[in-house]
Amino acid sequence: MCSAVPLSRSAPVVCSASAVREFGRRYVAEYLARHRETDYPDDLVARMRALGVFGATVPVGFGGSGLPSGEVLEIIYELARAWQPLAGMAGTHLKLCRDVERHGTAVQKQTLLPAMASGEMICARGYTEQGRTDPERLAATITLKEAHGILNGRKNWVTNALHADRILVVARRDEIAQCVIVDPARPGVEVGADLPRPGMLGVSLAEVRLSGYEFDPELELLGGPECDVTTSLRGHDVTRYLTRAIGSADAVLAWLCAFVESTLEQRAPEVGSVMAARVGQIAIQVAAMRAVWRDAISTAPGVTADEAKVFCTTVLHGVMSEAIGVCGGTGYASEDATLTRHYRDAVALQVFGAPNDALLTQIGERTLAVERQAAGQCLDGYLP
Ligand SMILES: Cc1cc2nc3c(=O)[nH]c(=O)nc-3n(C[C@H](O)[C@H](O)[C@H](O)COP(=O)(O)OP(=O)(O)OC[C@H]3O[C@@H](n4cnc5c(N)ncnc54)[C@H](O)[C@@H]3O)c2cc1C
């Protein structure tokens, strides 16, 4: 039932942020200039494979680069700066590599990780269902009958669903949440059409429907039949979404500066001064975003990743619309769609990972609890 995955035969490559930066600047810009944004970027994915991007987090013993999280974030940053959908696809895949490493059985690690590291097997994640982002509310179900598992459910948005080799689908079995390693080529899986959307194009986004999907619980339930991934789902880390916001901010600022420089000569001097001031306003906001990001990913953060994600994605939204305004007609419509592409792509950063409003509620409740406790301690000091 479970198709054994062959170990990768290609030599492991050590991935580096500088190689990914070079890839972004040299190939992605050129690719986007020559291809429709809606086409699946086969060439770029092949280059990412060759650069070792898909194995960045995977331990060396399983054919990856085993990079520390700071370097992996630099890679995500470079991909996001070049083209957000690439960061989405790679970021999800790397998260799933970590999940296999953390929860997988010895056999699953041995069969899956080398193929995932080489990019021979690219994985997608089917977790959220509309309005159901908490593990205990998921409607998708797993039923075990002796040596058989059956999966039913519907995942509304799965990045890269149309090209993924495996989809890791989270569902409930009674009181626990489990993750099934689904082969989309097998019966019981239906992947819908690419969903219409303003941005995050290129890499597909589709609904995945599972009806009576049969699987082997020992081999295809991540971590085996008793593995509960609820705690891991609750501890969802938003750092990579935050990092992607910085990638877009830096790309937009660089593009804006190049545009202003290249058009200064044709403008009246006073207009040039006004534009410089507007660039200054944007530069301050981007510098603040970078500072918050650096702090949030440092070893002793003063700001949490969820606070930083809300701050940076919200500021980014203003930065992008102001940048489009500064560039006038060229900002809104031009052959080089860098500005509008980042604008369309990065709006999604407020939604996925975790919606900003949901994070704000958590942050607010946490803050109120801390203040309540501090006020209680103060009062204690005054009480006889
Ligand atoms: C481009 C894109 C790619 C995606 N890729 C994937 C993927 O690969 N895999 C996957 O599993 N999912 C994916 N998703 C789904 C994404 O994770 C969800 O859209 C996201 O978690 C929000 O869930 P929802 O759409 O059900 O919104 P809802 O939960 O219905 O939220 C709607 C609104 O309700 C409010 N809200 C929700 N919860 C709270 C709360 N606790 N407190 C206050 N307000 C709240 C917020 O304003 C929120 O914006 C993707 C989505 C997009 C747009």
Side-chain angles (χ1 to χ4, degrees):
M1 191 179 299
C2 175
S3 42
V5 181
L7 293 183
S8 166
R9 262 168 257 115
S10 48
V13 182
V14 178
C15 189
S16 74
S18 58
V20 178
R21 182 178 314 129
E22 172 72 7
F23 157 76
R25 305 212 172 150
R26 206 156 140 211
Y27 295 108
V28 179
E30 191 195 308
Y31 173 91
L32 287 168
R34 288 192 293 110
H35 295 81
R36 281 186 310 182
E37 206 184 317
T38 44
D39 294 344
Y40 182 73
D42 277 308
D43 296 5
L44 298 180
V45 175
R47 284 188 192 280
M48 285 162 67
R49 262 191 210 105
L51 287 172
V53 167
F54 296 106
T57 58
V58 176
V60 175
F62 289 108
S65 301
L67 298 180
S69 57
E71 275 179 60
V72 176
L73 288 177
E74 295 288 342
I75 288 166
I76 297 290
Y77 163 88
E78 293 299 344
L79 292 173
R81 183 173 175 153
W83 194 18
Q84 283 285 353
L86 300 180
M89 174 179 52
T92 301
H93 175 86
L94 292 176
K95 191 235 173 302
L96 296 173
C97 289
R98 282 233 163 94
D99 286 352
V100 172
E101 198 191 324
R102 178 171 171 193
H103 300 291
T105 61
V107 172
Q108 286 167 345
K109 288 182 201 175
Q110 209 58 45
T111 51
L112 298 172
L113 284 177
M116 289 173 85
S118 68
E120 247 171 77
M121 178 193 275
I122 299 183
C123 296
R125 183 175 194 242
Y127 172 37
T128 46
E129 300 163 9
Q130 189 180 38
R132 298 172 193 267
T133 40
D134 298 329
E136 60 274 8
R137 287 183 193 275
L138 294 177
T141 57
I142 291 168
T143 316
L144 298 193
K145 280 189 187 156
E146 292 157 20
H148 287 275
I150 298 172
L151 173 64
N152 284 294
R154 184 173 165 172
K155 298 292 169 180
N156 300 85
W157 306 276
V158 176
T159 295
N160 204 26
L162 288 162
H163 294 87
D165 302 292
R166 295 290 184 277
I167 303 174
L168 274 65
V169 174
V170 183
R172 293 205 62 72
R173 177 162 69 92
D174 304 323
E175 298 307 307
I176 63 173
Q178 298 193 296
C179 182
V180 185
I181 305 157
V182 169
D183 179 349
R186 291 213 319 241
V189 190
E190 195 190 337
V191 179
D194 202 15
L195 291 165
R197 56 196 183 279
M200 295 300 295
L201 304 169
V203 173
S204 59
L205 180 69
E207 186 169 284
V208 174
R209 293 176 281 271
L210 302 131
S211 45
Y213 178 84
E214 289 188 35
F215 62 92
D216 179 333
E218 285 293 336
L219 293 172
E220 295 171 301
L221 263 180
L222 186 63
E226 299 315 318
C227 180
D228 180 2
V229 295
T230 308
T231 309
S232 160
L233 293 167
R234 286 227 182 83
H236 182 57
D237 180 13
V238 293
T239 314
R240 71 172 194 271
Y241 305 98
L242 155 66
T243 301
R244 288 170 60 180
I246 309 300
S248 269
D250 282 343
V252 163
L253 182 61
W255 201 91
L256 169 69
C257 290
F259 169 80
V260 171
E261 280 294 322
S262 67
T263 58
L264 264 188
E265 262 185 19
Q266 69 218 37
R267 299 183 191 283
E270 62 276 18
V271 176
S273 302
V274 170
M275 288 181 97
R278 291 177 78 182
V279 169
Q281 280 290 345
I282 291 172
I284 289 169
Q285 294 180 65
V286 175
M289 286 174 67
R290 277 194 217 113
V292 168
W293 173 54
R294 288 272 167 224
D295 182 86
I297 64 172
S298 70
T299 45
V303 58
T304 61
D306 53 1
E307 290 163 347
K309 191 249 175 184
V310 175
F311 177 81
C312 289
T313 54
T314 308
V315 173
L316 175 64
H317 195 65
V319 161
M320 290 185 303
S321 46
E322 174 64 2
I324 289 174
V326 174
C327 297
T330 312
Y332 190 77
S334 103
E335 288 276 318
D336 177 341
T338 303
L339 270 194
T340 47
R341 191 174 53 251
H342 277 283
Y343 186 76
R344 289 181 284 106
D345 289 348
V347 170
L349 289 173
Q350 301 196 19
V351 174
F352 54 39
N356 280 4
D357 286 353
L359 291 177
L360 279 174
T361 306
Q362 287 169 25
I363 295 163
E365 284 172 354
R366 207 166 59 214
T367 308
L368 287 167
V370 169
E371 290 298 325
R372 208 176 293 131
Q373 200 187 6
Q377 279 166 1
C378 257
L379 275 180
D380 283 351
Y382 287 112
L383 290 175

PDB file of all heavy atoms in Angstrom, residues 275-294:
ATOM      1  N   MET A 275      10.175  63.772  -3.561  1.00  0.00           N
ATOM      2  CA  MET A 275      10.303  62.318  -3.712  1.00  0.00           C
ATOM      3  C   MET A 275      11.334  61.753  -2.747  1.00  0.00           C
ATOM      4  O   MET A 275      11.126  60.685  -2.148  1.00  0.00           O
ATOM      5  CB  MET A 275      10.676  61.964  -5.152  1.00  0.00           C
ATOM      6  CG  MET A 275       9.516  62.173  -6.096  1.00  0.00           C
ATOM      7  SD  MET A 275       9.967  61.715  -7.749  1.00  0.00           S
ATOM      8  CE  MET A 275       9.343  60.071  -7.842  1.00  0.00           C
ATOM      9  N   ALA A 276      12.443  62.489  -2.588  1.00  0.00           N
ATOM     10  CA  ALA A 276      13.486  62.010  -1.655  1.00  0.00           C
ATOM     11  C   ALA A 276      12.906  61.904  -0.249  1.00  0.00           C
ATOM     12  O   ALA A 276      13.182  60.940   0.483  1.00  0.00           O
ATOM     13  CB  ALA A 276      14.683  62.947  -1.681  1.00  0.00           C
ATOM     14  N   ALA A 277      12.071  62.892   0.135  1.00  0.00           N
ATOM     15  CA  ALA A 277      11.476  62.855   1.480  1.00  0.00           C
ATOM     16  C   ALA A 277      10.547  61.647   1.623  1.00  0.00           C
ATOM     17  O   ALA A 277      10.523  60.976   2.662  1.00  0.00           O
ATOM     18  CB  ALA A 277      10.709  64.149   1.747  1.00  0.00           C
ATOM     19  N   ARG A 278       9.818  61.358   0.559  1.00  0.00           N
ATOM     20  CA  ARG A 278       8.895  60.205   0.628  1.00  0.00           C
ATOM     21  C   ARG A 278       9.690  58.893   0.693  1.00  0.00           C
ATOM     22  O   ARG A 278       9.310  57.963   1.408  1.00  0.00           O
ATOM     23  CB  ARG A 278       7.929  60.208  -0.566  1.00  0.00           C
ATOM     24  CG  ARG A 278       6.947  61.378  -0.466  1.00  0.00           C
ATOM     25  CD  ARG A 278       6.026  61.444  -1.660  1.00  0.00           C
ATOM     26  NE  ARG A 278       4.939  60.463  -1.598  1.00  0.00           N
ATOM     27  CZ  ARG A 278       4.019  60.321  -2.563  1.00  0.00           C
ATOM     28  NH1 ARG A 278       4.060  61.094  -3.640  1.00  0.00           N
ATOM     29  NH2 ARG A 278       3.074  59.423  -2.448  1.00  0.00           N
ATOM     30  N   VAL A 279      10.804  58.849  -0.043  1.00  0.00           N
ATOM     31  CA  VAL A 279      11.682  57.663   0.048  1.00  0.00           C
ATOM     32  C   VAL A 279      12.203  57.536   1.486  1.00  0.00           C
ATOM     33  O   VAL A 279      12.264  56.432   2.053  1.00  0.00           O
ATOM     34  CB  VAL A 279      12.854  57.753  -0.957  1.00  0.00           C
ATOM     35  CG1 VAL A 279      13.897  56.675  -0.681  1.00  0.00           C
ATOM     36  CG2 VAL A 279      12.353  57.643  -2.390  1.00  0.00           C
ATOM     37  N   GLY A 280      12.538  58.694   2.078  1.00  0.00           N
ATOM     38  CA  GLY A 280      13.043  58.696   3.465  1.00  0.00           C
ATOM     39  C   GLY A 280      12.015  58.094   4.420  1.00  0.00           C
ATOM     40  O   GLY A 280      12.351  57.275   5.282  1.00  0.00           O
ATOM     41  N   GLN A 281      10.749  58.484   4.250  1.00  0.00           N
ATOM     42  CA  GLN A 281       9.671  57.952   5.105  1.00  0.00           C
ATOM     43  C   GLN A 281       9.585  56.435   4.991  1.00  0.00           C
ATOM     44  O   GLN A 281       9.458  55.727   5.982  1.00  0.00           O
ATOM     45  CB  GLN A 281       8.317  58.536   4.660  1.00  0.00           C
ATOM     46  CG  GLN A 281       8.017  59.931   5.160  1.00  0.00           C
ATOM     47  CD  GLN A 281       7.749  59.930   6.670  1.00  0.00           C
ATOM     48  OE1 GLN A 281       7.519  58.877   7.261  1.00  0.00           O
ATOM     49  NE2 GLN A 281       7.822  61.087   7.280  1.00  0.00           N
ATOM     50  N   ILE A 282       9.669  55.977   3.752  1.00  0.00           N
ATOM     51  CA  ILE A 282       9.565  54.527   3.523  1.00  0.00           C
ATOM     52  C   ILE A 282      10.794  53.818   4.100  1.00  0.00           C
ATOM     53  O   ILE A 282      10.680  52.776   4.754  1.00  0.00           O
ATOM     54  CB  ILE A 282       9.401  54.241   2.005  1.00  0.00           C
ATOM     55  CG1 ILE A 282       8.024  54.732   1.552  1.00  0.00           C
ATOM     56  CG2 ILE A 282       9.579  52.763   1.682  1.00  0.00           C
ATOM     57  CD1 ILE A 282       7.787  54.682   0.054  1.00  0.00           C
ATOM     58  N   ALA A 283      11.966  54.435   3.888  1.00  0.00           N
ATOM     59  CA  ALA A 283      13.213  53.812   4.375  1.00  0.00           C
ATOM     60  C   ALA A 283      13.186  53.652   5.894  1.00  0.00           C
ATOM     61  O   ALA A 283      13.644  52.626   6.429  1.00  0.00           O
ATOM     62  CB  ALA A 283      14.413  54.651   3.949  1.00  0.00           C
ATOM     63  N   ILE A 284      12.621  54.638   6.601  1.00  0.00           N
ATOM     64  CA  ILE A 284      12.546  54.539   8.077  1.00  0.00           C
ATOM     65  C   ILE A 284      11.671  53.352   8.475  1.00  0.00           C
ATOM     66  O   ILE A 284      12.002  52.580   9.384  1.00  0.00           O
ATOM     67  CB  ILE A 284      11.930  55.838   8.665  1.00  0.00           C
ATOM     68  CG1 ILE A 284      12.898  56.997   8.529  1.00  0.00           C
ATOM     69  CG2 ILE A 284      11.542  55.646  10.121  1.00  0.00           C
ATOM     70  CD1 ILE A 284      12.276  58.349   8.835  1.00  0.00           C
ATOM     71  N   GLN A 285      10.555  53.203   7.769  1.00  0.00           N
ATOM     72  CA  GLN A 285       9.650  52.098   8.127  1.00  0.00           C
ATOM     73  C   GLN A 285      10.297  50.741   7.845  1.00  0.00           C
ATOM     74  O   GLN A 285      10.158  49.808   8.639  1.00  0.00           O
ATOM     75  CB  GLN A 285       8.346  52.243   7.339  1.00  0.00           C
ATOM     76  CG  GLN A 285       7.580  53.485   7.772  1.00  0.00           C
ATOM     77  CD  GLN A 285       6.290  53.631   6.997  1.00  0.00           C
ATOM     78  OE1 GLN A 285       5.402  52.812   7.123  1.00  0.00           O
ATOM     79  NE2 GLN A 285       6.202  54.659   6.192  1.00  0.00           N
ATOM     80  N   VAL A 286      11.013  50.662   6.730  1.00  0.00           N
ATOM     81  CA  VAL A 286      11.680  49.390   6.410  1.00  0.00           C
ATOM     82  C   VAL A 286      12.799  49.115   7.429  1.00  0.00           C
ATOM     83  O   VAL A 286      12.980  47.974   7.873  1.00  0.00           O
ATOM     84  CB  VAL A 286      12.210  49.393   4.950  1.00  0.00           C
ATOM     85  CG1 VAL A 286      13.010  48.132   4.652  1.00  0.00           C
ATOM     86  CG2 VAL A 286      11.050  49.526   3.964  1.00  0.00           C
ATOM     87  N   ALA A 287      13.509  50.178   7.832  1.00  0.00           N
ATOM     88  CA  ALA A 287      14.574  49.997   8.837  1.00  0.00           C
ATOM     89  C   ALA A 287      13.968  49.509  10.155  1.00  0.00           C
ATOM     90  O   ALA A 287      14.526  48.630  10.827  1.00  0.00           O
ATOM     91  CB  ALA A 287      15.325  51.311   9.042  1.00  0.00           C
ATOM     92  N   ALA A 288      12.797  50.055  10.517  1.00  0.00           N
ATOM     93  CA  ALA A 288      12.134  49.614  11.763  1.00  0.00           C
ATOM     94  C   ALA A 288      11.718  48.144  11.646  1.00  0.00           C
ATOM     95  O   ALA A 288      11.895  47.367  12.591  1.00  0.00           O
ATOM     96  CB  ALA A 288      10.916  50.485  12.046  1.00  0.00           C
ATOM     97  N   MET A 289      11.199  47.783  10.470  1.00  0.00           N
ATOM     98  CA  MET A 289      10.814  46.376  10.263  1.00  0.00           C
ATOM     99  C   MET A 289      12.022  45.458  10.440  1.00  0.00           C
ATOM    100  O   MET A 289      11.944  44.423  11.104  1.00  0.00           O
ATOM    101  CB  MET A 289      10.275  46.175   8.837  1.00  0.00           C
ATOM    102  CG  MET A 289       8.896  46.735   8.596  1.00  0.00           C
ATOM    103  SD  MET A 289       8.447  46.602   6.844  1.00  0.00           S
ATOM    104  CE  MET A 289       8.334  44.838   6.619  1.00  0.00           C
ATOM    105  N   ARG A 290      13.140  45.866   9.814  1.00  0.00           N
ATOM    106  CA  ARG A 290      14.349  45.024   9.897  1.00  0.00           C
ATOM    107  C   ARG A 290      14.804  44.880  11.342  1.00  0.00           C
ATOM    108  O   ARG A 290      15.194  43.807  11.788  1.00  0.00           O
ATOM    109  CB  ARG A 290      15.489  45.647   9.089  1.00  0.00           C
ATOM    110  CG  ARG A 290      15.428  45.318   7.626  1.00  0.00           C
ATOM    111  CD  ARG A 290      16.769  45.669   6.979  1.00  0.00           C
ATOM    112  NE  ARG A 290      16.532  46.200   5.660  1.00  0.00           N
ATOM    113  CZ  ARG A 290      16.765  47.441   5.280  1.00  0.00           C
ATOM    114  NH1 ARG A 290      17.284  48.321   6.122  1.00  0.00           N
ATOM    115  NH2 ARG A 290      16.494  47.829   4.060  1.00  0.00           N
ATOM    116  N   ALA A 291      14.746  46.005  12.103  1.00  0.00           N
ATOM    117  CA  ALA A 291      15.197  45.968  13.504  1.00  0.00           C
ATOM    118  C   ALA A 291      14.309  45.025  14.323  1.00  0.00           C
ATOM    119  O   ALA A 291      14.804  44.234  15.134  1.00  0.00           O
ATOM    120  CB  ALA A 291      15.178  47.379  14.095  1.00  0.00           C
ATOM    121  N   VAL A 292      13.003  45.102  14.087  1.00  0.00           N
ATOM    122  CA  VAL A 292      12.068  44.239  14.819  1.00  0.00           C
ATOM    123  C   VAL A 292      12.327  42.778  14.459  1.00  0.00           C
ATOM    124  O   VAL A 292      12.353  41.894  15.319  1.00  0.00           O
ATOM    125  CB  VAL A 292      10.602  44.662  14.505  1.00  0.00           C
ATOM    126  CG1 VAL A 292       9.614  43.621  14.991  1.00  0.00           C
ATOM    127  CG2 VAL A 292      10.299  46.016  15.138  1.00  0.00           C
ATOM    128  N   TRP A 293      12.549  42.532  13.168  1.00  0.00           N
ATOM    129  CA  TRP A 293      12.838  41.155  12.707  1.00  0.00           C
ATOM    130  C   TRP A 293      14.110  40.619  13.374  1.00  0.00           C
ATOM    131  O   TRP A 293      14.130  39.520  13.932  1.00  0.00           O
ATOM    132  CB  TRP A 293      12.985  41.173  11.179  1.00  0.00           C
ATOM    133  CG  TRP A 293      13.439  39.878  10.553  1.00  0.00           C
ATOM    134  CD1 TRP A 293      12.854  38.654  10.720  1.00  0.00           C
ATOM    135  CD2 TRP A 293      14.542  39.678   9.660  1.00  0.00           C
ATOM    136  NE1 TRP A 293      13.517  37.706   9.970  1.00  0.00           N
ATOM    137  CE2 TRP A 293      14.562  38.308   9.310  1.00  0.00           C
ATOM    138  CE3 TRP A 293      15.499  40.521   9.102  1.00  0.00           C
ATOM    139  CZ2 TRP A 293      15.516  37.769   8.439  1.00  0.00           C
ATOM    140  CZ3 TRP A 293      16.439  39.982   8.232  1.00  0.00           C
ATOM    141  CH2 TRP A 293      16.450  38.627   7.910  1.00  0.00           C
ATOM    142  N   ARG A 294      15.186  41.422  13.309  1.00  0.00           N
ATOM    143  CA  ARG A 294      16.463  40.984  13.892  1.00  0.00           C
ATOM    144  C   ARG A 294      16.274  40.654  15.370  1.00  0.00           C
ATOM    145  O   ARG A 294      16.813  39.680  15.884  1.00  0.00           O
ATOM    146  CB  ARG A 294      17.535  42.075  13.750  1.00  0.00           C
ATOM    147  CG  ARG A 294      18.024  42.252  12.336  1.00  0.00           C
ATOM    148  CD  ARG A 294      19.190  41.301  12.031  1.00  0.00           C
ATOM    149  NE  ARG A 294      19.443  41.261  10.603  1.00  0.00           N
ATOM    150  CZ  ARG A 294      19.679  40.156   9.909  1.00  0.00           C
ATOM    151  NH1 ARG A 294      19.740  38.986  10.503  1.00  0.00           N
ATOM    152  NH2 ARG A 294      19.893  40.213   8.621  1.00  0.00           N
TER     153      ARG A 294
END
